[in-house]
Amino acid sequence: MNEPVSPKPSSGTDVEESDSSLEDDLLSVGDIDGVAAIGICGVEPLTQSLKIIQQRKDAGLHGGMNFTYRNPVRSTDPRTGLPSAQSAIVVAHSYSPDTSEASEADSARVARYAAQDAYGRLREVLDLIRSKLTARGYRGTPVADSNALVDRAMAHRAGLGWIGKNTNLLVPGVGSWVVLGTVLTNAKLTESARDPLLQDPLLQDQLPQDQLHGQCGRCDRCLTECPTGALIEPGVLDAGRCLSWLLQIEGSFPVEFREALGDRIYGCDDCQEVCPPNRSAPEVRIELSSTGSRVNLDWLLTAGDEALMAEVGGWYIPNREPRYVRRNALVVLGNSGRSDKHAADLVRAYLESPDTMLVEHAAWAAGRLGMLEMLRLPDFRDHPAVKAELALRGPG
Ligand code: B12
Ligand code: SF4
Ligand code: SF4
């Protein structure tokens, strides 16, 4: 278990003993280890964000995602989470920039935010803010990574940082290895001092793109290094090309992006790993999640439903169906370059699956691993998915 969060002793803030203002007391949470930034802002609807979400939806850039795209009007109105809200306290909590365990051909990689309990730690901090509010008779409603609010837009409004060309919120001096959350409250709080341009929500909403990405300067590494070209313009992501989303979609994993998936089984960090401001990210010690940063591939492909979900149940998995974890694992297996008997046995077992989607991915893995002979066996060669793979790979 993580140790419960408590302010650093140096902060000198104690609700009972201090005569500091409510704002000072709330902002003192910023002294807790791991809290990268904290700010207070208003709860007017995020009109610019609404416009952006609608534009991207109309252009098909959401790639079928729901989240904030399901009901953009609600997700861009902070009062959706608390109708009596008057103010918001927004927090960026760091997670460790390095959780990497040695890469092995029989394991799959988990993105850093999911390799550790980053949201668990954030929620503890948000709960502490809530308790400070309720101790003074106010309401406090924490919201983080839910469909009820666009977190980056709130963090931007609260002055926590800038929106990078990779669409992430970057905290000055810290970078983007942070998760974001908000506590909505019915207390009317003084907004944090920040860039005058950002003081006025109307002005903020009219902020031109070059100022939005201001501190990125002329850098464009995230755009050029994204393995699938998903960042089609500075700050614009085509979710239909983003590996992080493709791992979460229903149906087949798109063939054209399977090789680019490499060994990723959940999330993708490339556009943050290449980001120069992230070099100054602080090291934060957070307990690893149930998976850690690498999951054994053979285990993923042989575990029963219950055991599998006990391990990876914290991930977004379409309809909570374990077959999607296995689909993704088959793509990783195909990319593993393995030629050992155990890998061949795994592919073979999935070619026998009653689930056509899994047969199709197993056939692809066989083709990529050079196991075409297996596909030509009488047991498999007449399956439509196998036939299609054989046709694609040629006579071999
Ligand atoms: C859907 C979603 C995804 C989707 C789409 C991401 C995307 N870029 O659109 C997918 C599955 C691909 C994804 C991936 C990741 N995600 Co995600 N995701 C979300 C979620 C649930 C909603 C985001 C959303 O609404 N996207 C739609 C676009 C249009 O909105 P947006 O990118 O947030 O941009 C808003 C602001 O930038 C602002 N804005 C943009 N331009 C302008 C211009 C002006 C003038 C103004 C004022 C505002 C403004 O308005 C936009 C719309 O509200 C949020 C949680 C939440 N409830 O907010 C987490 C969230 C954005 N994800 C997060 C994380 C950690 C990730 C990953 C790093 C995980 C991983 N390792 O795989 C990757 C990063 C990939 C990337 N480059 O974005 C964090 C981001 C932390 C940060 N530092 O920014 C969030 C905030 C979760 C959290 N609470 O911490 N994610
Ligand atoms: S998460 Fe990966 S695929 Fe998505 S935009 Fe970033 S680098 Fe590209
Ligand atoms: S890689 Fe460069 S352009 Fe992309 S977000 Fe980081 S600083 Fe900005």
Side-chain angles (χ1 to χ4, degrees):
M1 278 293 289
N2 290 325
E3 286 186 17
V5 291
S6 57
K8 285 175 193 161
S10 60
S11 70
T13 52
D14 182 315
V15 182
E16 277 76 36
E17 288 169 22
S18 167
D19 60 355
S20 61
S21 70
L22 175 56
E23 284 86 348
D24 287 345
D25 188 23
L26 296 171
L27 294 175
S28 72
V29 168
D31 293 332
I32 293 171
D33 279 336
V35 177
I38 183 168
I40 295 173
C41 67
V43 290
E44 306 78 15
L46 299 151
T47 52
Q48 179 75 356
S49 294
L50 175 60
K51 212 162 72 188
I52 291 167
I53 292 176
Q54 274 167 345
Q55 277 168 358
R56 295 194 188 167
K57 196 171 176 179
D58 292 346
L61 296 176
H62 64 312
M65 286 189 304
N66 277 317
F67 303 111
T68 55
Y69 287 92
R70 186 191 290 274
N71 191 334
V73 173
R74 278 175 61 82
S75 297
T76 53
D77 184 354
R79 291 199 175 95
T80 296
L82 179 66
S84 60
Q86 302 236 50
S87 308
I89 305 101
V90 191
V91 173
H93 195 295
S94 295
Y95 53 93
S96 176
D98 190 10
T99 52
S100 48
E101 294 162 36
S103 160
E104 288 156 13
D106 64 354
S107 74
R109 184 164 32 132
V110 178
R112 293 174 185 188
Y113 81 110
Q116 50 199 306
D117 188 19
Y119 287 113
R121 188 65 78 86
L122 171 70
R123 278 190 205 99
E124 283 186 40
V125 169
L126 299 180
D127 279 343
L128 178 65
I129 294 172
R130 181 197 8 214
S131 68
K132 283 176 179 288
L133 286 161
T134 51
R136 305 232 194 175
Y138 294 109
R139 296 192 61 184
T141 302
V143 188
D145 202 30
S146 89
N147 300 339
L149 192 57
V150 277
D151 297 326
R152 285 171 176 156
M154 285 303 281
H156 184 250
R157 175 182 276 180
L160 268 49
W162 80 98
I163 308 273
K165 292 178 189 173
N166 61 9
T167 79
N168 285 297
L169 187 285
L170 287 97
V171 176
V174 171
S176 66
W177 298 119
V178 294
V179 284
L180 306 171
T182 294
V183 180
L184 299 161
T185 179
N186 58 352
K188 180 76 188 150
L189 303 171
T190 308
E191 295 184 24
S192 306
R194 53 185 190 273
D195 185 333
L197 198 59
L198 303 181
Q199 294 281 11
D200 179 341
L202 286 176
L203 261 184
Q204 184 189 2
D205 281 350
Q206 288 156 13
L207 198 62
Q209 286 287 327
D210 57 338
Q211 289 190 31
L212 186 73
H213 308 306
Q215 294 190 46
C216 289
R218 286 208 291 258
C219 174
D220 63 357
R221 289 193 64 181
C222 49
L223 277 84
T224 55
E225 304 276 324
C226 167
T228 57
L231 295 162
I232 54 171
E233 276 174 49
V236 181
L237 179 120
D238 179 353
R241 304 180 71 87
C242 176
L243 296 171
S244 184
W245 170 238
L246 295 175
L247 284 163
Q248 299 177 26
I249 62 170
E250 282 187 54
S252 281
F253 195 101
V255 179
E256 65 270 36
F257 299 122
R258 287 185 194 167
E259 288 191 22
L261 186 68
D263 66 348
R264 298 172 188 82
I265 190 71
Y266 194 66
C268 170
D269 283 334
D270 283 27
C271 57
Q272 298 190 88
E273 270 162 11
V274 299
C275 178
N278 279 345
R279 289 185 200 135
S280 49
E283 188 53 52
V284 186
R285 281 198 308 160
I286 298 184
E287 186 186 70
L288 289 182
S289 63
S290 55
T291 61
S293 62
R294 301 212 66 99
V295 193
N296 184 279
L297 199 51
D298 298 5
W299 180 83
L300 278 173
L301 288 165
T302 51
D305 288 357
E306 216 172 296
L308 192 60
M309 294 307 273
E311 185 99 349
V312 305
W315 297 351
Y316 287 103
I317 300 167
N319 310 320
R320 313 292 306 151
E321 291 176 23
R323 64 198 282 261
Y324 286 111
V325 181
R326 296 180 181 124
R327 171 200 67 182
N328 298 341
L330 284 168
V331 179
V332 176
L333 179 64
N335 289 330
S336 68
R338 284 170 62 179
S339 55
D340 57 283
K341 181 175 177 307
H342 196 54
D345 288 347
L346 287 171
V347 172
R348 193 188 174 99
Y350 276 94
L351 287 173
E352 287 166 356
S353 168
D355 185 332
T356 300
M357 181 186 75
L358 295 180
V359 175
E360 187 239 312
H361 287 74
W364 181 85
R368 178 126 165 87
L369 291 171
M371 298 177 184
L372 289 175
E373 285 313 311
M374 191 191 297
L375 297 183
R376 294 197 187 98
L377 291 173
D379 283 357
F380 306 131
R381 67 185 173 212
D382 293 329
H383 191 293
V386 174
K387 269 187 175 166
E389 185 61 32
L390 281 170
L392 204 72
R393 300 271 171 189

